[in-house]
Amino acid sequence: MDKDLTPWYSFDWFTPSTLRSFTWENKIFLYLLIAIPVLFILRWLLRNKFNQKLPIAVTQKDFHVSPINLIRLLPEVLLMFVLAFVLMGLARPQKTNEKVEQWTEGIDIMIALDISQSMMIEDFTPNRLEAAKEVARNFINGRVQDRIGLVVFAGDAFSMSPLTTDYELLRSYLNEITFELIETKGTAIGSAMAVVTNRMGESETKSKVCILLSDGENTSGNIDPITAAELASAYGIKIYTIVVGKEGMVPYGKDFFGRPQMIENTIDETTMRKMADIGGGQFFRAADNKALEQVFSRIDKYEKAEIKETRFKDTSDYYVIYLHWAVAFFLLWLLLKSTFITNVLQD
């Protein structure tokens, strides 16, 4: 019910639905409503006991009771309503509308994914690249309002997706990633970081993060990974580096008889660790699918957008409505007290 549209004299103010919609600031006065009839009963008993009485003799045939005599009780009833309305006003009926506004300042996240031939090694299921794509997909699914971009690299690097909140588009790009996207062989980690910095350099977002995932050492490109990390750090980009895979003999394809072929795999962990230190992030090592999932899960917890909340409370008081009723009934009570209704019918 709208306070501004419903007049005070409307009986709608006394419907159960309206009364239940209020919050009562001083509920103690509502409990006192029970005392009103008790008070008037005591008042009637005291008056009946102490009022002066004039004994008269009336024959049985002259003695009769008329329902119209009950009118003499009307002033008492009106006075009870006056007290009830005053108590309802003192209880302070209110309605509060609470509005909550939430907003988040998203994070810019660039995922740099190694797609070199060594990512075909099968110490992950089904291989390193597919495992990395799967955890990256799950990572994207867990983000809200963050802009995410995608850089792929092998012997060269290029931006596959700019920073975007179109997560469906990002997932479709992940599905399209194959080893054939870049013909140049090798692993250009420094070039990948340069592309990331180029994409994020103009971003005005406070939090900028790069997740660099690779399984090898820098063997290609004309930019040193450490120099590239220092440049990224100068632009305020936090760097998380993830090395996937095991060192030593690892399965790579199958021979003529269908048996796994073993090859030697080396990892430049020192460079990747130093890049993370320069970028103010962390270095991680993942040797299998489960470990890789845990790494992305930890990064997901570290890099959360700040949620800001503002609450507005709009409180409206309705006690005036019931005080209007109290005044109206009080004036009516005074009017009846000044007429013959009270004076005559009590005799």
Side-chain angles (χ1 to χ4, degrees):
M1 181 184 298
D2 193 330
K3 179 171 102 172
D4 298 325
L5 297 180
T6 306
W8 69 266
Y9 49 82
S10 171
F11 288 106
D12 290 339
W13 294 108
F14 301 97
T15 61
S17 60
T18 300
L19 295 175
R20 282 196 299 267
S21 68
F22 290 138
T23 56
W24 302 86
E25 183 72 15
N26 306 312
K27 287 186 177 180
I28 185 65
F29 290 104
L30 293 180
Y31 300 132
L32 292 178
L33 289 172
I34 304 173
I36 293 177
V38 177
L39 178 64
F40 275 80
I41 291 173
L42 291 175
R43 181 171 176 265
W44 177 80
L45 291 174
L46 292 173
R47 178 187 292 176
N48 189 56
K49 181 177 180 180
F50 295 106
N51 274 8
Q52 291 184 351
K53 299 178 179 62
L54 179 64
I56 59 175
V58 181
T59 62
Q60 185 66 32
K61 66 178 182 178
D62 294 328
F63 182 78
H64 63 276
V65 178
S66 174
I68 200 172
N69 291 340
L70 296 176
I71 296 178
R72 75 180 189 277
L73 301 176
L74 186 57
E76 299 292 313
V77 173
L78 290 176
L79 191 57
M80 289 177 65
F81 276 109
V82 170
L83 292 177
F85 294 144
V86 169
L87 289 176
M88 291 178 70
L90 292 174
R92 291 288 296 274
Q94 297 176 339
K95 287 185 180 180
T96 301
N97 294 322
E98 184 175 25
K99 298 179 181 179
V100 180
E101 292 184 0
Q102 287 188 341
W103 71 95
T104 61
E105 184 174 347
I107 299 172
D108 282 352
I109 302 173
M110 190 68 74
I111 300 174
L113 184 59
D114 187 350
I115 62 169
S116 61
Q117 291 297 312
S118 58
M119 291 291 285
M120 294 177 63
I121 294 174
E122 298 171 354
D123 51 354
F124 284 70
T125 304
N127 57 48
R128 294 175 177 179
L129 179 59
E130 291 302 321
K133 287 166 58 176
E134 180 62 24
V135 294
R137 191 177 295 111
N138 293 336
F139 177 80
I140 291 170
N141 292 339
R143 308 304 295 188
V144 178
Q145 295 186 349
D146 295 326
R147 295 197 305 169
I148 301 177
L150 190 60
V151 169
V152 293
F153 63 97
D156 199 358
F158 74 91
S159 175
M160 192 165 188
S161 170
L163 292 165
T164 179
T165 55
D166 189 345
Y167 299 152
E168 187 62 36
L169 178 65
L170 286 169
R171 286 188 287 268
S172 67
Y173 279 141
L174 280 171
N175 294 335
E176 295 172 5
I177 293 176
T178 63
F179 300 105
E180 290 77 25
L181 280 178
I182 299 177
E183 296 181 357
T184 308
K185 305 301 179 184
T187 305
I189 296 176
S191 298
M193 279 305 309
V195 174
V196 168
T197 304
N198 184 52
R199 277 297 188 184
M200 304 185 81
E202 296 181 359
S203 171
E204 296 181 357
T205 305
K206 292 181 180 179
S207 298
K208 293 180 279 188
V209 176
C210 170
I211 302 175
L212 176 67
L213 188 146
S214 179
D215 68 345
E217 53 188 340
N218 188 71
T219 59
S220 186
N222 53 10
I223 302 177
D224 178 65
I226 303 301
T227 303
E230 291 173 344
L231 180 62
S233 179
Y235 280 93
I237 301 172
K238 183 185 290 187
I239 304 171
Y240 290 96
T241 57
I242 307 172
V243 170
V244 296
K246 304 172 184 177
E247 287 189 285
M249 302 302 294
V250 291
Y252 183 83
K254 293 180 173 54
D255 61 16
F256 179 78
F257 299 101
R259 295 173 300 186
Q261 295 185 114
M262 306 300 289
I263 62 170
E264 183 74 22
N265 183 63
T266 59
I267 295 174
D268 184 5
E269 182 177 312
T270 303
T271 298
M272 296 285 278
R273 189 181 295 274
K274 189 171 182 180
M275 290 177 68
D277 290 339
I278 293 172
Q282 289 190 37
F283 167 82
F284 298 97
R285 180 76 179 270
D288 53 36
N289 293 63
K290 185 176 181 180
L292 186 58
E293 291 173 4
Q294 291 174 347
V295 167
F296 268 82
S297 178
R298 288 176 64 181
I299 295 175
D300 184 56
K301 291 179 181 179
Y302 292 153
E303 300 300 332
K304 284 294 185 184
E306 181 181 0
I307 299 177
K308 299 180 180 180
E309 182 177 275
T310 302
R311 293 178 178 268
F312 302 93
K313 279 191 175 182
D314 181 19
T315 301
S316 299
D317 277 299
Y318 291 80
Y319 65 89
V320 175
I321 301 294
Y322 299 99
L323 291 182
H324 282 163
W325 278 93
V327 171
F329 272 62
F330 181 72
L331 293 175
L332 185 58
W333 176 77
L334 288 177
L335 178 64
L336 294 181
K337 287 287 290 183
S338 302
T339 65
F340 69 92
I341 293 179
T342 300
N343 299 323
V344 174
L345 295 180
Q346 283 187 353
D347 295 338

